[in-house]
């Protein structure tokens, strides 16, 4: 899909009541195929490299439009931002909830709750960072770990001039010269929000307070960039992480929560 086509699709989103494309930028879907772009709705299909499965991005006013397309295809898909009042209908059709992400915000950062990072990773660290994230795959519903390419792209902050993200990096935590944890961070928006994209700690080192230290390092990174607030999203079943976030002053805003569902085709189920 060329960028001009994507921009036309974004312009048309306002004509539909529901959509998964509100927060999607071109880089995330540039390799997707446009299946439909009509008065009935929009459907884009592509490979989600992070989740390693096919993904549908969509816009429509009616659940039947999206559901009809899903049921007519033999592939398995993940469908993001499913409206809450569609869940029952989609479950009856054979879809399952994949993850439910709630937004958490922290509106102040104090110097006494920050730790200065000793190092920032570069794209040369992409492989070891990917291995770390993959070691935590499946520990939280919806978290599959990150590919080496994803890590390299996140660590390479070039060509961000047209992106709402101002800067991004990964802050590591080393244990005896071995990467034992990391936090992916970025800043975005006119009000300078610190986005904690994800935090991972090697399974053998979990429960030792490393996650809290990484969060405080992220706060320090944000303070240096004069952020006004901190944002992250957590799956509602990730109780340990949510306990940590709340203890650090995050509060949940469930109004904009993201419900992702998965469709497993008959051919997929029978393999």
């Amino acid at each position: 899909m060329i960028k001009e086509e994507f921009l036309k699709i974004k312009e048309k989103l306002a004509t539909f009541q529901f959509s998964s494309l509100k927060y999607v930028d071109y880089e995330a879907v540039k390799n997707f195929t446009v299946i439909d772009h009509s008065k009935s709705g929009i459907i884009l299909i592509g490979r989600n490299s992070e989740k390693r499965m096919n993904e549908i991005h969509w816009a429509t006013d009616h659940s039947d439009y999206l559901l009809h397309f899903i049921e007519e295809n033999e592939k398995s898909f993940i469908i993001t931002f499913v409206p809450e009042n569609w869940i029952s209908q989609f479950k009856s059709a054979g879809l399952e909830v994949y993850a439910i992400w709630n937004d958490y915000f922290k509106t102040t950062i104090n110097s006494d709750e920050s730790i200065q990072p000793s190092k920032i990773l570069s794209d040369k660290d992409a492989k070891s960072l990917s291995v770390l994230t993959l070691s935590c795959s499946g520990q939280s519903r919806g978290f599959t770990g990150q590919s080496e390419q994803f890590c390299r792209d996140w660590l390479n902050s070039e060509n961000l001039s047209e992106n709402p993200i101002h800067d991004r990096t990964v802050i590591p935590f080393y244990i005896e010269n071995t990467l034992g944890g990391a936090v992916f961070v970025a800043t975005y928006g006119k009000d300078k929000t610190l986005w904690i994209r994800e935090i991972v700690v090697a399974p053998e080192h979990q429960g030792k307070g490393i996650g809290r230290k990484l969060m405080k390092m992220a706060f320090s990174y944000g303070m240096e960039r004069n952020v006004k607030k901190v944002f992250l999203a957590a799956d509602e079943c990730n109780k340990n992480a949510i306990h940590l976030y709340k203890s650090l002053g995050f509060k949940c805003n469930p109004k904009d929560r993201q419900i992702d569902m998965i469709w497993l085709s008959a051919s997929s189920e029978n393999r």
Side-chain angles (χ1 to χ4, degrees):
M1 174 174 50
I2 62 174
K3 191 166 187 177
E4 288 74 14
E5 187 174 19
F6 174 75
L7 293 176
K8 288 180 180 178
I9 287 173
K10 291 286 277 189
E11 289 176 0
K12 194 175 179 181
L13 290 182
T15 65
F16 296 106
Q17 186 177 0
F18 306 107
S19 173
S20 69
L21 288 160
K22 181 178 179 181
Y23 303 108
V24 175
D25 60 22
Y26 176 66
E27 289 299 313
V29 295
K30 64 182 180 181
N31 295 320
F32 279 45
T33 300
V34 180
I35 302 299
D36 190 26
H37 184 185
S38 65
K39 292 182 179 180
S40 298
I42 297 168
I43 289 181
L44 313 180
I45 293 179
R47 187 73 175 173
N48 184 314
S49 58
E50 179 183 347
K51 295 182 173 62
R52 296 183 289 282
M53 67 178 73
N54 297 309
E55 181 174 22
I56 295 175
H57 274 297
W58 58 275
T60 187
D61 291 330
H62 306 290
S63 59
D64 289 342
Y65 166 81
L66 182 57
L67 194 55
H68 176 74
F69 173 80
I70 294 168
E71 292 177 327
E72 289 295 309
N73 279 268
E74 295 183 355
K75 293 182 179 180
S76 298
F77 299 103
I78 183 168
I79 305 97
T80 59
F81 287 97
V82 178
E84 195 153 1
N85 60 349
W86 293 6
I87 301 300
S88 178
Q89 180 186 7
F90 277 32
K91 282 185 175 180
S92 297
L95 283 83
E96 301 173 1
V97 172
Y98 181 77
I100 300 177
W101 305 95
N102 283 317
D103 292 348
Y104 286 81
F105 287 94
K106 179 177 171 66
T107 55
T108 59
I109 310 175
N110 301 315
S111 58
D112 60 355
E113 57 182 1
S114 65
I115 299 175
Q116 182 68 32
S118 59
K119 183 179 179 181
I120 299 295
L121 297 183
S122 70
D123 57 1
K124 293 183 290 186
D125 301 297
K127 185 174 182 178
S128 59
L129 181 59
S130 173
V131 170
L132 172 65
T133 67
L134 291 171
S135 72
C136 300
S137 177
Q139 290 191 352
S140 173
R141 185 178 64 177
F143 182 71
T144 56
Q146 305 295 358
S147 68
E148 183 177 344
Q149 186 59 53
F150 176 91
C151 294
R152 181 170 289 107
D153 290 344
W154 188 269
L155 290 163
N156 186 349
S157 294
E158 295 179 0
N159 303 319
L160 287 178
S161 58
E162 298 182 6
N163 196 301
I165 294 176
H166 302 304
D167 58 81
R168 62 191 180 197
T169 193
V170 179
I171 301 168
F173 188 93
Y174 283 94
I175 301 171
E176 297 179 353
N177 298 318
T178 299
L179 187 62
V183 57
F184 291 66
V185 295
T187 63
Y188 70 91
K190 293 180 180 179
D191 60 351
K192 293 287 281 186
T193 298
L194 174 67
W195 176 26
I196 298 180
R197 207 271 183 192
E198 64 189 64
I199 181 170
V200 290
V201 176
E204 65 271 24
H205 296 300
Q206 292 176 5
K208 300 178 181 178
I210 295 172
R212 184 176 295 273
K213 291 177 181 177
L214 282 166
M215 291 290 290
K216 291 185 175 183
M217 290 180 187
F219 295 163
S220 177
Y221 180 88
M223 289 179 67
E224 290 177 356
R225 287 154 182 80
N226 298 313
V227 300
K228 306 302 181 185
K229 60 182 177 180
V230 190
F231 163 76
L232 59 84
D235 187 359
E236 66 175 17
C237 75
N238 195 351
K239 303 300 183 185
N240 290 336
I242 291 171
H243 176 76
L244 170 63
Y245 304 148
K246 287 184 175 180
S247 73
L248 290 168
F250 284 86
K251 294 184 178 180
C252 181
N253 177 15
K255 291 183 179 180
D256 295 324
R257 69 177 184 164
Q258 174 182 337
I259 303 174
D260 298 342
M261 300 191 76
I262 190 169
W263 162 259
L264 298 176
S265 68
S267 58
S268 169
E269 291 172 340
N270 293 331
R271 279 200 292 268

